[in-house]
Amino acid sequence: MDRIVRGPRGDNPLIREVWAYNLDHEIIRLDRCLVSYSVMSIDTEFPGCIKRTPWGTIDEELYADFRFNVNQTKVIQLGVTVSDELGNIGGTWEFNFSDFDPEIDAHNPASICFLKQNGLDFGKLKKDGIKVRKFAIRFIYTLRKHAIYRWITFHGLYDIGYLMLAMGVVKSLPETLGEFEWIVARRVGTVRDLKHMARFCEGLEGGNLGLEKLGQLLDQKRFGLKHHAGSDSLMTALLHEKMLQRYDFHAEICDGFLYGLSKKFEELVGLQTHRIYVQIQCARVKAMVIHKKMLQLFEVESCNEYELSKKLKEFEVLISHFRFVEHEYETAQFCYYKACNIMYQGFHL
């Protein structure tokens, strides 16, 4: 059933509940909408965190727990609200997935209980929900035809993680934070997190607040049920526009940050690429030094049997070192070309 809501400028978008039986129809609607609306606000519902990360944990440890949680669990809902740069809402879609089964799949029992209390029907999700694999094919095909100018989230680290899996960008989150940041920056695009933005806005508690509290402070009415991905993504889009209207600052300074991580994605991508380039140059210099030593071994025309035997052993050691450095060089060069490929591909998978 479609829930009618009103946008900030008088338009009438819909929160459309999407199931397996109307997926194709609603993807066509989304496709048409993206012609005029290029900002996408997202939210996900998922089975909670299996590993809890203590407050103040360094980025690498936070990422390790985040990666474990996302890779071990399955997304339940994805909410998508599309808007333009002026804040006009084009529409909202709530995609409901069938892959998660609370009887057999990993989850946090308290989170599942919380979602049930807030109206999620796991029986209907299992019966009528969309297979994530099928959704990924339809969704990514649609996105390829359009340029998403910006992705808006609220406390969006997990939202972006599950989005990447739902879109089929990766089968599982990569091992390192650097790789994750690299993929987000180059394969997803520009992200903006309202919780990070709130840190720079007077009266918004330095960003230490939830979506509902932010809505109360900005006097924004909610449409639909809270803790449902469609309603939360719409709330995120509406609050983003309200923050831009109320606070006079350049919001672009917040682009590339996700709340909880200390560095900007684009900066880390550049640092990662430079680091690999340095590895290539170091391997090249090492190879040149070894090659020179190998030539110097036989510069003397005559030598006795002992000296020749000694030089041959030294030559064998140098050959071994040379092969190792050669492998090091080829590996770094492969990573560099892969990095450049990702950087220039942008979102075209």
Side-chain angles (χ1 to χ4, degrees), residues 5 13 50 69 74 97 114 139 155 164 235 257 282 329 341:
V5 303
I50 302 170
N69 288 328
K74 298 174 181 177
F97 300 112
F114 177 79
F139 191 62
H155 206 168
M164 288 167 61
M235 188 70 158
F257 289 95
C282 287
Y329 174 81
N341 185 43

Side-chain angles (χ1 to χ4, degrees), residues 65-81:
D65 289 347
F66 155 70
R67 175 178 180 265
F68 176 85
N69 288 328
V70 173
N71 284 345
Q72 293 299 316
T73 57
K74 298 174 181 177
V75 65
I76 297 171
Q77 285 185 330
L78 170 66
V80 168
T81 294

